[in-house]
Amino acid sequence: MDHAHTVLRTAISATAPVGAGATAARPGRLRLTRRGRLLLIGLPVLTAAAALMLGAALMAGGLVNQAQASTEAPIGVEAREVVVAPGETLWDIASEIDSTEDTDVLILRIAELNDLDGSTLQPGQRLDVPVGD
């Protein structure tokens, strides 16, 4: 009987870890490497950062859209009607207005009064332009 007990002890000591402080791996326990921890933590952080940036961009876009010109003419603006001549631009029309305002500001006011989407004008088009101050 002593002989069987000795064999069992030898088999157990052969599988034990060698060295001071060594621990045996527990079956079923997952050990992450440095790269694995980086992936496990970094991927959700990057996803959250991307979502925050997308949300901020959408909110900023919403604020920009709110600042667009309204479709209604401002109340109390005195205006006169002009007919666009061939080759005439908004700059030409705005610079002809007798006003103390800058030409760029007048162009924006004309675009707002007429609900223009761009700067392209058609010959014969009728535009309301503010009367000079």
Side-chain angles (χ1 to χ4, degrees):
M1 267 198 181
D2 277 335
H3 183 56
H5 189 90
T6 307
V7 171
L8 182 60
R9 236 184 229 179
T10 306
I12 291 175
S13 65
T15 60
V18 180
T23 58
R26 295 181 193 140
R29 182 172 171 139
L30 179 65
R31 295 195 61 181
L32 288 177
T33 63
R34 184 176 180 190
R35 185 180 298 164
R37 283 189 299 270
L38 182 63
L39 182 67
L40 187 65
I41 294 170
L43 191 59
V45 169
L46 285 175
T47 304
L52 285 174
M53 289 176 60
L54 179 64
L58 290 175
M59 286 180 62
L63 294 175
V64 170
N65 285 339
Q66 290 178 359
Q68 289 181 351
S70 68
T71 58
E72 297 177 20
I75 299 173
V77 173
E78 290 187 49
R80 65 180 171 90
E81 186 177 88
V82 297
V83 178
V84 177
E88 199 168 29
T89 64
L90 280 175
W91 182 269
D92 297 331
I93 294 170
S95 61
E96 291 173 4
I97 298 173
D98 184 28
S99 176
T100 58
E101 285 190 270
D102 188 40
T103 305
D104 291 327
V105 174
L106 288 172
I107 290 172
L108 291 174
R109 288 185 63 196
I110 293 169
E112 183 178 9
L113 277 171
N114 296 281
D115 195 29
L116 299 177
D117 291 331
S119 61
T120 305
L121 301 177
Q122 300 299 322
Q125 183 177 359
R126 297 182 183 280
L127 295 176
D128 292 323
V129 296
V131 176
D133 336 93

